[in-house]
Every structure is written in structure tokens, then in C-alpha cells.
Amino acid sequence: MSGIYIHIPFCKQACHYCDFHFSTSLNKKDELISALKKEIRLRKDEFKSETVETIYFGGGTPSLLTNLELESIIQSVYETYKVAEFPEITLEANPDDLSKERLIELSKSPINRLSIGIQSFFEADLKLMNRAHNSEESKKCIAEAVNYFDNISIDLIYGVPNATNEQWIENIETALSFGVPHISSYALTVEPKTALASMIKQGKIDNVDDEKAQEQFYILKETLEKADFEHYELSNFAKKGYYSKNNSAYWLGKKYIGIGPSAHSFNGKQRSWNISNNIKYIKALQEDHLPCDIETLSDTDRYNEYIMTGLRTIWGVNLNRVEKEFGKENLNYLLAQATPYITQELLYIEASTLKTTRKGQFLSDGIASELFKLN
């Protein structure tokens, strides 16, 4: 399985916590869309023997594009690559872009999955994050969306300063009340050079409380599992049959092409990334040039990536695969490094697979980094 990720670098306004590449100016939208289609065509040889099973519009805010613009990009993918008969085609969208009329239009398009950026159902949280929508728009949007789409994911953020556990529970229960089959939930992270980092530094808002975030993670996990959601990746929960095929491919090390400024690609041996500048990206494509840097991954790089992604998922790190792909020496190194965490009941081995325990899940990224090889 292979996928196409398409980065749409436009937003109405900047969320205070976001460090993704985007612009609040849509002046170059037409040129950018033309450049996306050009990049798709120029990279046709990369997936000669692959079948595209997922197309994912991320951003930014892809729902700022019209249906015609989105469909023209999808058509370029179909014209360039071999696409599966029933691909998963996801659109990231904000609630304020999803009116009833827009939802009806989208339901008639090739897009068959929505990922809606709710983040919170509380006005105070939304204002702190500088989201473009309000709580009422969120609820109205989801209530309408479930009438036209079966496959819907919503995003929620926990660990928000001054948000209580009781409010977090209400957020989760509100999300569940709509019957959506997928929830992605992330701890609020303070990234350098963001407005959030600046406001915390100036004392305008409290800093993120890691202990509170950890409490809310386990509240989330317990509540969703009681509602028959499967916790298949650190930040992702789904009803049976509704795992994100696009995201699962990333975690399982499948090949993907990233189209658009700042988008990343992976072919199994190399990772590449496009320039994070809309003007330079457009200019390069107008000159039939791919504006990307390429890194060939060493065995150590691939080993470390497998450990990181594996420990985040229900699939874990297969020890037989480690020995087969990276050798007995690396397997012994992994087992030695993992032993203290097994003793602390943060990791365990089951059916030749290394996994995080319930207690270790929230700490999985930090644990993985301790299992990395440095050379």
C-alpha cells in the first residue's frame, strides 16, 4: 500500500500552538494549485510499481479550497498513478468551513473521509488556541457531517492550561455523543517560535502541566475504550474497521509521496522534504524543478524509526523483524536497553513483540529515544 499526502498551506488565521508551514494569504492560491499538479506529474516515476490506496489533504486548512479545486488535484493523481478501486480519500477540515451545503457537495465528490479539527468544545480553550470557529459551530458541523459521511475523525487537544479533568471528560463525552468512529487526540505541545510559547514566556497564560496532560491521556484512553474504541496508536482511537489507512501506512513504514511546500516523502530507503516557502515552491515547479532535499537513511536511522513508530502502535516492535533486518547484534542491543523498562513494567514482550504497557504508553516516545542507537 502506498499513499499520496497533499499539503495545502493556507489558513484563515494562525493557531497559537501551530508550527506547521502555512500562510494566511490566499493571493497565490491558483499558482499553488497549479504547482501541486505539476509536482504530481513530475513525480510519476516514483510510484511506477505502486498502487495508491490513500490520498490525504492536510495542512494548513485544505477545506479552504473549493470542491472544484480539490477534485482537480484528485484528478491529477488519477491521471498520473495507478489508484486502487476504493481508495481512502481524506480531507482535513475546520468546522467553520463545513456548512450543510458544503457537506452535501463534498459527499458527492471522491472524498470519503473527513478529519475535522474540533480541538475543544469550550470557548475558553478555543480562544486560547486562537481557533477560527466557536463551540456552537463545532457541534452543528458534526451533527450535519454524520448525515453525509460515515467515516469521520475529529481532533481533540488535552493538557490545555486551566482546563480541568471534568471539562476534559465533558469534551470526550460530547464527541462520543455524535457517534463518530475515529478520534485523534494530542497533548498541547509548546513549540518554539509559536505564539503560545511567547504568551507563556510573557506570563500571559500558564505553562502546560505535564502531569495534568498525563492524567487526561489516561482519562481519554479509559473513556474511549469503554465506548468500544481501539487504541491503535498513541494519539489515535477508532471503532473496529475505522483505523486511518493513511496514518497506519506511515507507522508501518509504507511508501508515500508528499506533495506541496514542506511535505515529506519516504520510499523505504530515502526521505525527502520540499522547501517550506510557497513562493519558492511555486517558482521551482514553474521551471519544472522539484524543490526538495533528499536524505538516504542509514541502517541506524531505519532501526531508530522502526523503534519509534512501533512503540507508538498496537503492533509494537517485532523482534524477529529486528533480527532479520538489522542483525543479531542490534536485537541484543535492543533487548539490553529495554530490560530496565520491562523491570519497571513500562514495556513487555508478547509473542516476540516488544510493546508498551498501559503505564508506559504516554511515555512511549521518551522510552523509544532511550532505545535508539547513536551510530
Side-chain angles (χ1 to χ4, degrees):
M1 182 174 79
S2 299
I4 303 285
Y5 171 84
I6 301 165
H7 188 77
I8 307 300
F10 300 118
C11 288
K12 289 180 181 176
Q13 61 193 51
C15 296
H16 286 160
Y17 57 86
C18 182
D19 70 340
F20 290 163
H21 170 67
F22 68 92
S23 170
T24 54
S25 170
L26 274 67
N27 289 339
K28 296 289 184 179
K29 186 174 74 164
D30 291 345
E31 292 95 325
L32 191 283
I33 292 171
S34 294
L36 294 175
K37 296 176 189 176
K38 174 71 75 68
E39 184 183 1
I40 288 169
R41 293 194 297 272
L42 288 179
R43 300 182 69 175
K44 64 181 179 180
D45 290 340
E46 294 183 37
F47 269 14
K48 266 185 180 178
S49 58
E50 301 291 329
T51 298
V52 174
E53 296 199 70
T54 65
I55 302 170
Y56 191 100
F57 287 92
T61 311
S63 52
L64 286 177
L65 268 58
T66 67
N67 278 30
L68 285 177
E69 289 167 340
L70 291 167
E71 289 187 41
S72 71
I73 297 170
I74 294 170
Q75 184 61 36
S76 292
V77 172
Y78 270 83
E79 290 171 353
T80 308
Y81 306 106
K82 179 184 177 184
V83 180
E85 186 176 1
F86 300 108
E88 175 189 270
I89 305 181
T90 302
L91 176 73
E92 286 186 356
N94 282 347
D96 44 305
D97 294 326
L98 295 180
S99 64
K100 179 178 180 178
E101 292 72 27
R102 183 74 195 279
L103 285 164
I104 292 172
E105 287 181 3
L106 285 169
S107 70
K108 297 175 182 177
S109 77
I111 291 163
N112 51 33
R113 183 174 184 271
L114 296 179
S115 177
I116 307 174
I118 300 297
Q119 317 310 356
S120 175
F121 292 100
F122 286 91
E123 293 298 338
D125 295 348
L126 296 173
K127 287 178 181 177
L128 181 148
M129 299 178 203
N130 198 39
R131 297 291 291 170
H133 67 276
N134 60 45
S135 178
E136 197 55 40
E137 284 176 314
S138 291
K139 294 172 183 175
K140 185 177 180 181
C141 160
I142 304 173
E144 286 288 0
V146 295
N147 293 325
Y148 302 101
F149 283 86
D150 170 61
N151 200 348
I152 296 174
S153 177
I154 66 172
D155 288 355
L156 294 175
I157 291 180
Y158 58 89
V160 178
N162 302 317
T164 66
N165 287 351
E166 290 71 27
Q167 288 174 316
W168 178 232
I169 292 169
E170 187 175 336
N171 258 331
I172 301 167
E173 290 179 345
T174 301
L176 290 173
S177 71
F178 293 102
V180 295
H182 192 286
I183 293 176
S184 295
S185 191
Y186 309 91
L188 183 64
T189 304
V190 184
E191 300 290 352
K193 300 181 181 179
T194 60
L196 178 62
S198 177
M199 288 189 294
I200 290 172
K201 186 176 181 180
Q202 295 171 35
K204 292 181 179 179
I205 61 172
D206 292 338
N207 202 349
V208 171
D209 183 335
D210 290 338
E211 285 190 15
K212 178 72 70 167
Q214 186 168 354
E215 283 179 25
Q216 294 182 355
F217 169 81
Y218 287 112
I219 289 170
L220 172 75
K221 180 178 175 65
E222 181 179 348
T223 306
L224 292 185
E225 287 181 343
K226 282 182 179 177
D228 294 326
F229 278 73
E230 297 174 2
H231 189 191
Y232 70 102
E233 193 271 342
L234 180 64
S235 302
N236 288 271
F237 301 78
K239 291 288 184 76
K240 192 173 184 64
Y242 286 93
Y243 290 11
S244 166
K245 293 179 181 178
N246 175 81
N247 294 349
S248 295
Y250 295 157
W251 303 317
L252 293 172
K254 304 296 185 181
K255 297 177 183 178
Y256 58 89
I257 291 178
I259 302 293
S262 81
H264 285 233
S265 304
F266 177 66
N267 66 8
K269 296 181 179 178
Q270 294 176 316
R271 193 171 298 285
S272 64
W273 55 95
N274 288 343
I275 190 168
S276 297
N277 181 296
N278 291 358
I279 303 298
K280 291 180 179 179
Y281 172 82
I282 291 168
K283 187 174 187 298
L285 269 302
Q286 287 174 340
E287 297 171 353
D288 293 339
H289 171 66
L290 292 173
C292 68
D293 290 313
I294 300 174
E295 173 191 20
T296 298
L297 300 178
S298 66
D299 287 344
T300 298
D301 292 332
R302 293 192 302 108
Y303 167 88
N304 289 344
E305 286 199 8
Y306 179 51
I307 300 303
M308 175 64 79
T309 55
L311 286 186
R312 289 180 62 100
T313 71
I314 60 170
W315 303 291
V317 175
N318 186 286
L319 300 178
N320 295 328
R321 176 178 168 183
V322 171
E323 182 174 12
K324 182 179 179 181
E325 291 191 19
F326 306 108
K328 184 74 172 178
E329 182 181 340
N330 282 320
L331 173 62
N332 291 337
Y333 173 84
L334 172 60
L335 292 173
Q337 294 298 106
T339 296
Y341 297 100
I342 294 173
T343 302
Q344 297 171 54
E345 297 183 341
L346 298 173
L347 295 176
Y348 70 103
I349 295 174
E350 178 183 70
S352 297
T353 302
L354 182 68
K355 298 181 179 181
T356 55
T357 63
R358 190 178 188 86
K359 185 167 71 169
Q361 278 184 315
F362 184 76
L363 306 172
S364 62
D365 285 351
I367 294 171
S369 67
E370 294 298 320
L371 306 183
F372 285 173
K373 293 206 71 176
L374 301 180
N375 51 51

